[in-house]
Amino acid sequence: MKVAVLGAGAIGAYVGAALHRAGVEVHLIARGPHLQKIRESGVRVVSPRGDFEARPNATDDPAEVGPVDHVFLGLKANRYADAGPMIKPLLHDETTIIAAQNGIPWWYFHGVDTKYRDHRIDSVDPGGAVSAVLPVERAIGCVVYAATEIAAPGVIKHLEGTRFSIGEPTGEISPRCTEFSQAMIAGGLKCPVEPDLRKDIWLKLMGNIAFNPISALTRATMKGICSHLDTREVVIRMMRETLDVAARLGTYPEISIERRMAGAERTGDHKTSTLQDLEKGKPMELDVILKAVVELADLTGAEAPTLRVVSALADLLNEQVTTITP
């Protein structure tokens, strides 16, 4: 099996190192000092589960890699539409694209047996720009429950979690999913193939949809948001409204708001990825996390008043970031 990790940042390099440890032919596609260090001395993973090192091939040119069996996509969703030149050299007729994406994916309505079948979500796939680059028939969904960060170039700090749930948009337990899952498991990760990955999408989204934009608007950590009583109530309202939208689409995550809040509190003084992007002057990945759910609320007739207010404020903040970022 041959795998390319396009966007070998904190999550991508962690997955690539684990797959390489399992004996998979892995090619990391990265850039800058991170790439240089990986070329020199490989990837070093520092983890409470045990440190390890891997020396997969690393490059900034996908043409050097050529066609692969699976592309693990570690890019932010707001970069998907521009990824065509990087993706194209990696594809053969059967190549899958496994997108480790937060929020609502571009393939969400592909293959669903409802009146919304093949509906395009404009905030996720504007004008079909993403699906033109990432054809839905190649897509395997992936919901990431692991937390990692780049501690230094070439060094990945694994904080918690090893689960990467994957699944076909159609719900099929396919050979291509099973193959990738087995390789991930051999590398020391959890990788269940889910018959209904949309449940996992909404379960994770319950937290992201509230904590990510609120952290950016307030500069607060997870602990700070949870401990501020009025803001905690805003989070709960956003979660309730999110579950309402999911239910209107026929999906019911198997977790209570109370348990989801308790899980968030346990993360302590953790900065969300959205807040980290904001502090670095990077555009925030909120279209697929928040704006998409507001669009789905319009589609299904949900009111979602709190989601709409927070989305408007976060969108204005994001416009300011993208305006000042060169």
Side-chain angles (χ1 to χ4, degrees), residues 67-108:
V68 300
D69 301 306
H70 304 281
V71 175
F72 185 87
L73 200 56
L75 302 174
K76 293 282 190 180
N78 52 20
R79 294 181 57 196
Y80 286 179
D82 299 323
M86 300 288 282
I87 288 277
K88 190 173 181 180
L90 302 172
L91 303 180
H92 59 58
D93 289 347
E94 303 298 325
T95 303
T96 73
I97 297 172
I98 303 166
Q101 179 195 330
N102 286 324
I104 303 295
W106 79 101
W107 53 260
Y108 188 85

Side-chain angles (χ1 to χ4, degrees), residues 226-290:
C226 289
S227 61
H228 189 274
L229 295 182
D230 288 342
T231 308
R232 182 186 181 93
E233 181 58 33
V234 172
V235 170
I236 291 171
R237 289 179 185 177
M238 293 178 74
M239 287 185 177
R240 286 177 184 151
E241 292 171 14
T242 300
L243 289 175
D244 177 42
V245 176
R248 290 167 185 261
L249 293 170
T251 299
Y252 303 87
E254 296 171 353
I255 191 170
S256 66
I257 289 175
E258 291 74 20
R259 280 186 60 197
R260 195 67 182 83
M261 289 295 295
E265 287 180 286
R266 286 194 297 270
T267 62
D269 285 314
H270 170 70
K271 292 182 179 181
T272 69
S273 59
T274 302
L275 177 55
Q276 292 178 48
D277 284 343
L278 179 67
E279 290 179 341
K280 294 173 184 175
K282 296 181 178 179
M284 298 180 292
E285 188 187 31
L286 290 177
D287 285 355
V288 296
I289 291 174
L290 181 52

Side-chain angles (χ1 to χ4, degrees), residues 167-199:
E168 294 281 358
T170 60
E172 175 190 2
I173 306 298
S174 65
R176 64 186 193 172
C177 277
T178 302
E179 175 189 61
F180 187 78
S181 170
Q182 289 173 345
M184 292 279 278
I185 292 167
L189 305 178
K190 297 177 182 178
C191 189
V193 181
E194 300 289 354
D196 186 2
L197 191 68
R198 290 171 180 84
K199 283 186 178 180

Side-chain angles (χ1 to χ4, degrees), residues 2-4 25 27-29 57 59 61-68 89-90:
K2 185 178 179 181
V3 176
E25 181 185 344
H27 300 266
L28 303 183
I29 301 168
N57 179 55
T59 180
D61 184 4
E64 293 180 0
V65 177
V68 300
L90 302 172

Side-chain angles (χ1 to χ4, degrees), residues 26 41-42 47 51 56 73 81 137 162 180 315-316:
V26 175
S41 53
S47 170
D51 300 353
L73 200 56
E137 62 271 12
T162 60
F180 187 78
D315 192 49
L316 177 58

